[in-house]
């Protein structure tokens, strides 16, 4: 009972209560979001490639300054609404200034661990810097508090939220009013 209770009440570092994750199964995410937002019980929506803390992981190599040195990271591809919907806590900077549509991603949000791993003693100094993820240059728009990317049994490494495009999204995340 204690272990079960612990896992139910563990602070993942982001909001999960009353969030319904709907798999797109190849459907157009813009169209699906438009339809879901017509439902009065849906308060807010966002899109993501994965659902964190469920065991699915995406990995990449991140480079900063030294092109011969890379750091493995866990990441999720998200839209501009994702961090607000899940109530991630920014310690520096902020969200993406815009969604990319079908263009290439331009921005990345990193967690505190990743900021420290690439050499920032002050997380605010990371904002505006450019890193490379799997060969794509991305500007750091914000730094968030560390959160539980993988499930509880996994060792958590540095993680990031990368600006996603339509082709990246596999889920709609919807806040549902249950009252």
């Amino acid at each position: 009972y204690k272990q079960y209770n612990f896992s139910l009440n563990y602070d993942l570092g982001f909001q999960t209560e009353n969030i319904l994750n709907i798999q797109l199964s190849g459907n157009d995410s813009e169209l699906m979001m438009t339809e879901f937002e017509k439902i009065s019980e849906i308060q807010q929506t966002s899109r993501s490639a994965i659902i964190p803390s469920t065991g699915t992981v995406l990995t990449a190599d991140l480079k900063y300054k030294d092109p011969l040195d890379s750091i493995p990271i866990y990441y999720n591809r998200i839209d501009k609404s994702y961090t607000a919907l899940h109530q991630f806590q920014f310690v520096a900077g902020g969200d993406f200034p815009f969604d990319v549509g079908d263009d290439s991603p331009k921005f990345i949000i990193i967690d505190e661990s990743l900021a420290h791993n690439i050499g920032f003693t002050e997380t605010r100094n990371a904002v505006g810097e450019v890193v490379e993820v799997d060969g794509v240059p991305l500007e750091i728009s914000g730094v968030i508090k560390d959160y539980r990317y993988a499930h509880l049994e996994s060792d958590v490494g540095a993680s990031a939220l990368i600006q996603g495009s339509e082709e990246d999204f596999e889920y709609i995340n919807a806040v549902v009013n249950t009252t």
Side-chain angles (χ1 to χ4, degrees):
Y1 174 79
K2 286 181 183 181
Q3 188 175 16
Y4 175 74
N5 193 36
F6 171 79
S7 63
L8 282 180
N9 296 307
Y10 187 84
D11 181 10
L12 298 171
F14 59 93
Q15 181 63 258
T16 59
E17 190 172 339
N18 297 332
I19 296 177
L20 177 63
N21 297 296
I22 303 118
Q23 190 166 17
L24 288 167
S25 299
N27 291 301
D28 180 279
S29 70
E30 288 286 339
L31 178 62
M32 296 287 288
M33 281 182 49
T34 301
E35 293 303 311
F36 277 113
E37 289 169 352
K38 292 177 183 175
I39 301 169
S40 62
E41 289 80 14
I42 303 291
Q43 296 177 323
Q44 187 179 6
T45 59
S46 70
R47 297 170 294 172
S48 63
I50 65 166
I51 302 166
S53 302
T54 60
T56 302
V57 296
L58 298 173
T59 61
D61 289 321
L62 180 139
K63 294 180 181 183
Y64 176 67
K65 299 226 180 196
D66 183 353
L68 300 176
D69 189 22
S70 64
I71 297 172
I73 62 165
Y74 295 107
Y75 72 93
N76 194 358
R77 293 211 181 255
I78 63 167
D79 71 1
K80 187 179 184 318
S81 303
Y82 187 85
T83 57
L85 183 137
H86 286 284
Q87 300 175 16
F88 281 90
Q89 300 297 306
F90 281 90
V91 295
D95 214 332
F96 309 137
F98 55 84
D99 276 327
V100 294
D102 291 328
D103 293 336
S104 296
K106 311 272 189 274
F107 295 95
I108 185 170
I109 297 167
I110 62 175
D111 68 8
E112 290 175 298
S113 290
L114 182 51
H116 293 296
N117 286 353
I118 59 177
F120 293 103
T121 54
E122 296 288 332
T123 55
R124 70 177 180 272
N125 294 334
V127 176
E129 291 293 313
V130 176
V131 296
E132 191 175 287
V133 177
D134 285 347
V136 177
L138 300 167
E139 181 180 331
I140 299 170
S141 67
V143 181
I144 55 174
K145 287 188 176 216
D146 288 342
Y147 67 99
R148 178 54 74 168
Y149 176 92
H151 54 77
L152 293 178
E153 297 167 349
S154 295
D155 194 19
V156 178
S159 61
L161 302 172
I162 299 174
Q163 190 176 38
S165 64
E166 177 66 34
E167 68 185 29
D168 297 317
F169 302 129
E170 297 291 329
Y171 294 92
I172 289 178
N173 325 107
V175 177
V176 180
N177 182 359
T178 59
T179 57

